[in-house]
Amino acid sequence: QVQLGESGGGLVQPGGSLRLSCAASGSISSINAMGWYRQAPGKEREQVAEITTDGGTKYAEAVKGRFIISRDNSGHTVYLQMNNLKPEDTAVYLCYYFSFNDYDGWSDFGSWGQGAQVTVSS
């Protein structure tokens, strides 16, 4: 089982920056994908960014050019650098982890962080 510890949310003015962190612990697969979804009231849940252990990344169109996802050297902590934040970025950001192994393939159910509230407002 993998547990995720998520931090870095807060209140920021439009145009500002925040960095979210998500630290994985437990039985971490050597092949995995980690990233963030976000959920705002009245909006559909949206996948924001993802990074896989081979270094591949993907981003929601709404955040391309503004957000950067990365891993530390251990591969167990993922960061989401959020720049030029906009009010529409306001949401609860939920870190996730999905694993792969030769027996089961990709996991059907991931692990999730507790959520980080990001509020962008003047």
Side-chain angles (χ1 to χ4, degrees):
Q1 188 176 6
V2 170
Q3 296 80 42
L4 302 180
E6 187 175 2
S7 63
L11 174 65
V12 66
Q13 294 183 340
S17 297
L18 287 171
R19 189 176 76 159
L20 303 181
S21 299
C22 183
S25 61
S27 300
I28 301 170
S29 174
S30 61
I31 302 175
N32 63 74
M34 296 181 65
W36 275 267
Y37 278 78
R38 64 185 181 187
Q39 179 67 65
K43 297 181 180 179
E44 294 184 348
R45 186 179 65 171
E46 179 183 31
Q47 188 176 27
V48 178
E50 181 175 89
I51 186 166
T52 49
T53 42
D54 64 0
T57 59
K58 63 179 181 180
Y59 299 92
E61 187 67 28
V63 307
K64 284 182 179 178
R66 298 189 296 119
F67 291 10
I68 301 170
I69 191 167
S70 62
R71 290 180 184 258
D72 69 359
N73 290 335
S74 74
H76 298 168
T77 301
V78 178
Y79 305 95
L80 185 65
Q81 179 67 44
M82 304 183 292
N83 299 316
N84 192 24
L85 283 160
K86 305 176 184 297
E88 51 263 43
D89 296 318
T90 296
V92 174
Y93 284 70
L94 296 160
C95 180
Y96 67 84
Y97 163 99
F98 284 86
S99 66
F100 177 91
N101 64 64
D102 290 339
Y103 183 77
D104 295 315
W106 286 99
S107 58
D108 292 327
F109 303 98
S111 298
W112 295 86
Q114 72 273 23
Q117 177 67 53
V118 172
T119 302
V120 185
S121 176
S122 59

